[in-house]
Amino acid sequence: MEIGEAVGRYEQAAALLPARWQQAARRAPEHRKALAEEFRLRTGRPMTILTCEGEMLVSDELPRDSVTQADLEQLCDAVTGYSRYAAAETMAKGYLIGRGGFRIGLCGTVAVRQDGGLALRDISSATVRISRQVRGLWQEVPALSESGFDSTLIAAPPGAGKTTLLRDMIAALSNGTEERAALRVGVVDERGEIAGMYRGVPQLDVGCHTDVLDGCPKAVGIPMLLRSANPQVIAVDEITEEADIRAMTAAANCGVKLLATIHAEGAEELRRKPLFRLLEQAQVFRRLVSITVEDGQRRYRTEEL
């Protein structure tokens, strides 16, 4: 990604912050803006920026202000257009999606309603994830360099770039090339991090032949896509439950290819996970892409499963 584009996404994310924190974010040096992955706001603490090197203060200027609960309430009001009721479902799951497709993770007091539902109040911290479009990553994955596509699983620890690679692979499959035909791709974007849907419009490029189910559990969304969108490939983020695997197995039995991510440091740790043993038994995936971060650089390794 060009530095100018990276800084531009930083500025877009900063525009979601309360006014005084917008000003602090914009005073950060350009190189820090380009590397920033998240804004972290915690009550009683100064705002920080997360980069691949860890958290750092948004600015070295003194005196350092602290985030207040009023700041966090203002952030939620601004992102929801002062209509939290309309966003109550995602807030209860601990996040909001802002203009530009930026995901805001929330922590606070969880209240259990009489109907068994959840509500989040007394917000204590917020994480504004600065999602960026990094194009051309698919070229690191041989699965897309050939005429066909084998179902592929992407494994990496948190923050290593699983979703960024997933998104670029989705777009590459959906758009096709002169040598490779475009495919119909269905995306189950359970947490709004892949396409960054905002009022029904993807804020991030997922290709021109892609259909997105936003905010839908994977085990529910995969059969929905099979019935409604006739996909050739189904993509999901972060496999976490047996129900996800059962749904993907059913899709694979219908001739659909799968593309997904899972948390793991690498192939060795992945093979120790009980969930992976279920994946092996299902024989859904044919390739594994592992992402590691070395000296601030992401490395990609592909192997057969």
Side-chain angles (χ1 to χ4, degrees):
M1 172 180 284
E2 296 291 335
I3 291 179
E5 187 178 353
V7 172
R9 287 293 287 175
Y10 174 98
E11 297 286 358
Q12 283 182 280
L16 300 174
L17 300 171
R20 69 190 186 111
W21 293 111
Q22 286 185 36
Q23 295 171 11
R26 286 170 178 148
R27 289 196 296 268
E30 294 295 290
H31 71 276
R32 191 171 296 177
K33 292 180 181 180
L35 295 174
E37 298 175 356
E38 294 175 352
F39 293 114
R40 312 282 305 208
L41 297 91
R42 302 179 178 94
T43 52
R45 301 286 183 181
M47 184 172 77
T48 60
I49 294 175
L50 177 68
T51 73
C52 60
E53 298 175 348
E55 282 189 56
M56 58 189 68
L57 293 170
V58 68
S59 172
D60 297 326
E61 295 180 4
L62 296 173
R64 297 191 179 106
D65 289 335
S66 295
V67 174
T68 66
Q69 194 172 65
D71 290 327
L72 300 177
E73 296 294 334
Q74 184 182 342
L75 172 63
C76 292
D77 286 338
V79 170
T80 61
Y82 293 87
S83 180
R84 293 198 199 183
Y85 177 79
E89 186 174 347
T90 58
M91 278 195 72
K93 295 177 181 177
Y95 71 93
L96 294 168
I97 300 295
R99 183 182 297 276
F102 298 100
R103 186 174 185 270
I104 298 96
L106 302 170
C107 289
T109 300
V110 177
V112 181
R113 301 193 303 260
Q114 289 184 344
D115 61 2
L118 303 177
L120 191 64
R121 58 181 174 80
D122 299 333
I123 308 300
S124 59
S125 66
T127 301
V128 181
R129 182 165 293 184
I130 309 170
S131 55
R132 292 189 172 98
Q133 194 91 42
V134 182
R135 303 179 191 278
L137 289 178
W138 66 269
Q139 296 174 4
E140 303 282 348
V141 183
L144 296 188
S145 300
E146 303 168 357
S147 57
F149 169 68
D150 288 326
S151 292
T152 300
L153 183 64
I154 302 168
K162 294 186 300 298
T163 304
T164 303
L165 175 60
L166 175 69
R167 185 186 303 116
D168 196 54
M169 290 178 69
I170 290 169
L173 288 167
S174 178
N175 292 330
T177 65
E178 292 183 0
E179 296 78 24
R180 176 169 41 80
L183 299 176
R184 297 184 303 277
V185 183
V187 175
V188 185
D189 198 359
E190 184 169 358
R191 299 183 304 169
E193 292 189 284
I194 301 173
M197 300 291 282
Y198 183 75
R199 297 182 179 177
V201 180
Q203 303 296 294
L204 297 163
D205 181 16
V206 288
C208 57
H209 299 101
T210 300
D211 303 293
V212 181
L213 279 178
D214 184 50
C216 182
K218 292 180 279 293
V220 175
I222 289 172
M224 284 180 66
L225 283 173
L226 289 173
R227 292 191 295 267
S228 64
N230 187 27
Q232 294 167 291
V233 178
I234 290 179
V236 302
D237 204 5
E238 296 191 15
I239 302 170
T240 57
E241 300 177 2
E242 291 185 26
D244 300 341
I245 298 172
R246 289 194 296 269
M248 287 187 289
T249 302
N253 290 337
C254 294
V256 176
K257 302 294 186 180
L258 281 302
L259 178 60
T261 66
I262 191 168
H263 281 307
E265 293 284 346
E268 185 176 342
E269 180 188 333
L270 181 61
R271 290 188 169 92
R272 292 198 299 268
K273 288 178 174 283
L275 200 62
F276 183 71
R277 288 197 284 274
L278 292 175
L279 285 171
E280 283 190 309
Q281 293 170 10
Q283 295 185 334
V284 169
F285 295 99
R286 295 290 179 264
R287 293 178 187 263
L288 173 67
V289 178
S290 301
I291 308 174
T292 57
V293 180
E294 302 170 16
D295 300 324
Q297 298 293 318
R298 291 179 172 86
R299 310 291 183 190
Y300 303 88
R301 179 186 176 189
T302 302
E303 58 188 283
E304 301 290 329
L305 285 175

